[in-house]
Amino acid sequence: MRIAVTIMKNTERISPLFEAAELAVVVDCCRGQIVSETELSLPGDVAGKLDALQGEGVDTLLCGAIANDSMALAQQRNLRVFSFAAGAWRDVLTDWRSHQRLRECHLMPGCCQQHRRCCHQHARRQS
């Protein structure tokens, strides 16, 4: 499994917005263990970011907030996306690998669903 985690420059934290992410850590996992990790510079546009991830053979993306259009593009490229992640990327990845989902403690504040938009955004759309 090849996983990408978008991160903020000069930190160990997940980038709060996929579209603004400049870096990703690409991690290879085998039998539950991380066997390699590589930092990848990302282009400025969403299609470029997705092309770069796809070119690296990434099949799973852990990221912060992501626009619905960007999510749709990622899913069209067969990327499994786990969005609204927050925290130190190693902690989030380790916990995600154990559960194959993001737990509440690693979701952005105010978010209550894995892989989906924030529950507050959902509530606003209905009103």
Side-chain angles (χ1 to χ4, degrees):
M1 175 182 287
R2 196 156 237 214
I3 303 164
V5 184
T6 54
I7 60 171
M8 292 187 294
K9 243 182 188 176
N10 303 319
T11 73
E12 292 287 312
R13 302 197 56 82
I14 293 178
S15 179
L17 182 61
F18 173 76
E19 290 79 6
E22 297 177 4
L23 294 172
V25 176
V26 177
V27 177
D28 287 304
C29 295
C30 182
R31 297 182 186 171
Q33 300 296 318
I34 294 175
V35 294
S36 71
E37 62 183 67
T38 307
E39 197 169 280
L40 174 68
S41 291
L42 297 174
D45 64 306
V46 171
K49 290 179 196 319
L50 295 172
D51 287 343
L53 295 176
Q54 208 168 23
E56 291 293 319
V58 170
D59 52 40
T60 303
L61 172 64
L62 298 178
C63 62
I66 184 170
N68 290 339
D69 292 345
S70 300
M71 173 76 87
L73 284 174
Q75 290 172 336
Q76 288 171 4
R77 294 166 186 242
N78 296 318
L79 272 174
R80 289 177 53 203
V81 180
F82 294 84
S83 58
F84 293 98
W89 75 265
R90 290 178 196 277
D91 294 341
V92 174
L93 178 63
T94 299
D95 192 53
W96 176 85
R97 283 185 13 248
S98 302
H99 300 92
Q100 292 295 301
R101 67 181 178 87
L102 291 169
R103 293 188 319 155
E104 192 171 328
C105 61
H106 291 130
L107 289 172
M108 296 178 96
C111 293
C112 57
Q113 298 176 350
Q114 299 81 270
H115 333 280
R116 296 272 157 209
R117 68 184 74 83
C118 176
C119 58
H120 298 292
Q121 289 175 347
H122 182 66
R124 272 189 245 135
R125 285 186 170 186
Q126 290 179 344
S127 49

